[in-house]
Amino acid sequence: MDHICPVCRTHNNDLAIDFSIEEFICSHCNNLITIGQSVKRKIVKKPVENVVLEVGRKGLLYGKEYWIINIVIKKYGSDTFWREYALKDRAGNNVYLSESDGHWVFLRPVDFAFKEFQYYAEADGKKYRWYETTPCNVHAAAGFFEEKLQSGLAYYKEYVNGTEMISREEYGKAVQFFKGNHISRGEIKKAFGITDMPYRSGTGIVQPFLFNVKQCTNIMAITALLICILQLYVVTSRSNQTVFEQGVNFADVTDKEMVSKSFTLSGGSAPLKVHVFSDVDNSWANVGLGLVNEKTNEVIYASKDIEKYSGFEGGESWSEGSTTEDFNLCGIPGGTYHFLISAEKEGGTKDLFKSGYRPENADFSIIKNDAGSFFLKNDKDQTISTYGERGILANDIILRTGLQNNMKETGKLDSILTNMPQEYGYPGNYERNPSVNIKASWLPVSFWNFGIVLACLIIFAVVISWMKRIFESGKWSHSSNSPYSNN
């Protein structure tokens, strides 16, 4: 296909396909030339603003080869422009690419007139909402034209349904109908092998949302149903049960760990809920647990403080803390386990004997109460011996420490025991809270995760519906018939 400009004698042979044309614009002098005439019609402005494709470029769209035969920039008002690229295949079929603000629409001419009503139109059994009627004229153009290039005012009436549209173009008495759909920037770049694209702003007239909201909602509904069925199965096939319960004396675990009896957890991974109780009163206690898997010897450690304080201040009583605490060991798989238990409390015998009398190089400590009794605690086995007479205790200390032949030290010992500070209320007051109760429950049935997942699904559905509404509102913001005009 070769056309010579009669004005500048330039060969215009940019196309690899041959078809009949009525006019062309010279690529050198920009004159609009009518075939068969030796004079120019007029000089046409060359399209350059945001034009990324050129006349003659080949592209592969929807599995078919097309060549760009002309480019027309349309103008509405004083500063609104969009670009239309006319494409033709080897069979002579025409399609169009329309680009506005970086958004692309693929348009095909249709040979039927769709039914038009006041605010919508019907085509192929679908209703399309009227978007806008736009008067426009040609601002710039280039390429080859099968009919005369329009120079006057034309009217576009557009109707939209999601990512599809139909359009009615009227110029004078001539009317054409088009059907279009959104086409992504990536498809355009791949089809024509280009890298630069117009800057994208706003929302395109048929731009799709990030994902299919209806499909996504259906998937979430099915997921929620499956979760409900699974939860129902768990509730009917499993039950929560107490697997361990024991009271532990603080004296038995002072400076050492107690090994509990073994217990078995049956089923899949689930939380192990631990409940601890100690009758603390203006004091604290601490419980340390090590959960030992007897098959793998893996240990999970946890520690919990129990505190309760109260008083009277400013004419009002106050209280804080509790005698009970609960915590979970999460994701514990089935198997056989036992606990390693340690515990201590405020004001216990451990702290009391630390502050008592301890002879040099001895492995025991001694305290005295207000009733005159003495108490000796052995460091090795943590046993406590009671002495009602000072002399008997002194003799026992002498034997334990080897002071039999040291009269001077023996005399000092008698004086020390006589003048020892008294621990009032021992042992009664100090053993007022002697133990901590530990209870462990296996929780294969839990509604927390079930509720959280369902809540997340519902929140996600609400959020995407809200985002879709905001998106569609932006899409229709330039329409005279927006369904969101009251927002």
Side-chain angles (χ1 to χ4, degrees):
M1 183 173 181
D2 190 6
H3 296 282
I4 300 174
C5 175
V7 179
C8 66
R9 310 307 298 174
T10 298
H11 289 260
N12 289 267
N13 55 354
D14 294 334
L15 294 178
I17 55 175
D18 194 12
F19 60 95
S20 177
I21 67 171
E22 189 167 336
E23 291 183 333
F24 70 93
I25 297 174
C26 177
S27 60
H28 179 70
C29 65
N30 298 327
N31 277 295
L32 178 61
I33 307 298
T34 302
I35 299 299
Q37 296 183 11
S38 60
V39 296
K40 62 182 180 180
R41 276 185 59 194
K42 62 179 179 179
I43 295 178
V44 180
K45 184 177 180 180
K46 187 175 182 179
V48 291
E49 299 92 348
N50 289 325
V51 174
V52 295
L53 302 174
E54 67 272 5
V55 174
R57 179 178 283 271
K58 182 179 73 172
L60 185 67
L61 290 171
Y62 303 113
K64 185 176 291 187
E65 287 186 332
Y66 292 98
W67 283 263
I68 299 173
I69 61 174
N70 66 63
I71 304 169
V72 179
I73 297 182
K74 301 288 181 70
K75 180 180 181 181
Y76 165 65
S78 59
D79 57 359
T80 302
F81 302 89
W82 71 92
R83 286 143 290 281
E84 292 183 355
Y85 301 87
L87 288 69
K88 183 180 285 289
D89 63 15
R90 289 194 182 277
N93 300 309
N94 290 340
V95 295
Y96 300 87
L97 286 173
S98 176
E99 178 271 311
S100 176
D101 295 326
H103 303 280
W104 295 79
V105 181
F106 182 77
L107 293 157
R108 297 179 178 89
V110 293
D111 55 4
F112 61 86
F114 40 78
K115 296 180 182 179
E116 295 183 83
F117 302 89
Q118 183 175 5
Y119 295 112
Y120 69 95
E122 289 184 355
D124 297 332
K126 289 184 179 180
K127 283 188 176 182
Y128 294 78
R129 187 181 182 91
W130 172 57
Y131 187 87
E132 193 59 88
T133 301
T134 308
C136 63
N137 52 31
V138 174
H139 173 71
F144 304 88
F145 301 86
E146 296 175 275
E147 298 177 353
K148 284 191 175 182
L149 180 64
Q150 302 169 3
S151 58
L153 199 63
Y155 291 88
Y156 281 83
K157 194 170 186 179
E158 298 163 322
Y159 301 86
V160 173
N161 182 328
T163 60
E164 296 181 352
M165 65 177 293
I166 53 179
S167 176
R168 178 180 186 272
E169 180 182 352
E170 181 179 351
Y171 177 70
K173 295 182 179 181
V175 178
Q176 285 184 291
F177 298 89
F178 300 88
K179 186 174 182 180
N181 60 271
H182 168 80
I183 184 169
S184 70
R185 292 157 55 93
E187 290 179 273
I188 298 295
K189 292 169 71 174
K190 181 179 178 180
F192 293 96
I194 58 176
T195 56
D196 294 331
M197 296 294 284
Y199 174 75
R200 184 169 59 185
S201 63
T203 306
I205 187 173
V206 289
Q207 180 182 344
F209 189 52
L210 297 174
F211 41 80
N212 189 314
V213 174
K214 183 177 180 180
Q215 186 180 64
C216 183
T217 303
N218 290 338
I219 292 173
M220 288 190 293
I222 294 172
T223 302
L225 178 61
L226 292 175
I227 292 173
C228 290
I229 294 173
L230 178 62
Q231 183 68 16
L232 179 62
Y233 167 75
V234 170
V235 170
T236 56
S237 63
R238 301 181 184 179
S239 61
N240 298 333
Q241 57 181 314
T242 299
V243 295
F244 176 85
E245 188 169 10
Q246 183 176 340
V248 178
N249 292 323
F250 288 106
D252 295 336
V253 290
T254 301
D255 294 328
K256 61 182 179 181
E257 288 184 327
M258 173 187 290
V259 179
S260 76
K261 294 181 179 180
S262 297
F263 53 89
T264 301
L265 308 179
S266 300
S269 296
L272 184 65
K273 181 179 180 180
V274 180
H275 173 85
V276 291
F277 165 79
S278 184
D279 192 19
V280 292
D281 185 14
N282 282 318
S283 62
W284 58 264
N286 175 270
V287 178
L289 290 178
L291 180 66
V292 182
N293 187 318
E294 296 186 354
K295 181 178 180 180
T296 63
N297 289 323
E298 293 181 355
V299 185
I300 299 175
Y301 289 99
S303 178
K304 197 68 176 179
D305 290 326
I306 309 169
E307 300 176 288
K308 183 179 180 182
Y309 296 93
S310 61
F312 193 82
E313 184 177 354
E316 295 183 359
S317 61
W318 59 270
S319 177
E320 62 180 13
S322 174
T323 58
T324 63
E325 292 290 343
D326 296 301
F327 60 95
N328 286 343
L329 302 176
C330 298
I332 307 301
T336 302
Y337 295 85
H338 66 260
F339 281 124
L340 298 177
I341 305 171
S342 61
E344 62 177 332
K345 67 173 184 175
E346 182 180 16
T349 57
K350 176 183 176 182
D351 296 327
L352 183 63
F353 277 94
K354 280 185 177 179
S355 62
Y357 166 60
R358 187 180 186 87
E360 186 176 355
N361 298 323
D363 58 359
F364 57 88
S365 299
I366 300 166
I367 61 171
K368 177 183 178 182
N369 70 3
D370 54 324
S373 297
F374 295 89
F375 302 88
L376 182 149
K377 182 179 180 182
N378 192 316
D379 294 344
K380 293 180 179 180
D381 57 14
Q382 302 297 308
T383 58
I384 299 176
S385 302
T386 304
Y387 297 85
E389 296 183 13
R390 184 174 68 251
I392 297 175
L393 173 61
N395 290 334
D396 201 359
I397 294 174
I398 291 171
L399 292 175
R400 287 171 179 265
T401 56
L403 297 177
Q404 296 92 332
N405 300 321
N406 192 330
M407 299 302 295
K408 183 179 180 181
E409 291 298 325
T410 302
K412 285 184 179 181
L413 175 61
D414 186 68
S415 176
I416 290 172
L417 295 178
T418 301
N419 298 307
M420 277 185 66
Q422 297 176 348
E423 302 296 341
Y424 288 88
Y426 182 83
N429 289 346
Y430 288 89
E431 298 305 326
R432 165 172 68 181
N433 176 31
S435 64
V436 59
N437 294 324
I438 303 171
K439 178 181 178 180
S441 301
W442 179 233
L443 304 177
V445 180
S446 173
F447 288 92
W448 280 103
N449 291 340
F450 170 71
I452 290 172
V453 171
L454 287 185
C456 289
L457 289 176
I458 294 171
I459 292 171
F460 183 67
V462 171
V463 169
I464 63 173
S465 298
W466 174 76
M467 291 174 61
K468 177 70 180 301
R469 184 177 180 86
I470 297 297
F471 176 85
E472 291 294 332
S473 179
K475 177 188 289 189
W476 287 86
S477 60
H478 299 294
S479 169
S480 300
N481 187 36
S482 172
Y484 307 97
S485 58
N486 294 326
N487 294 340

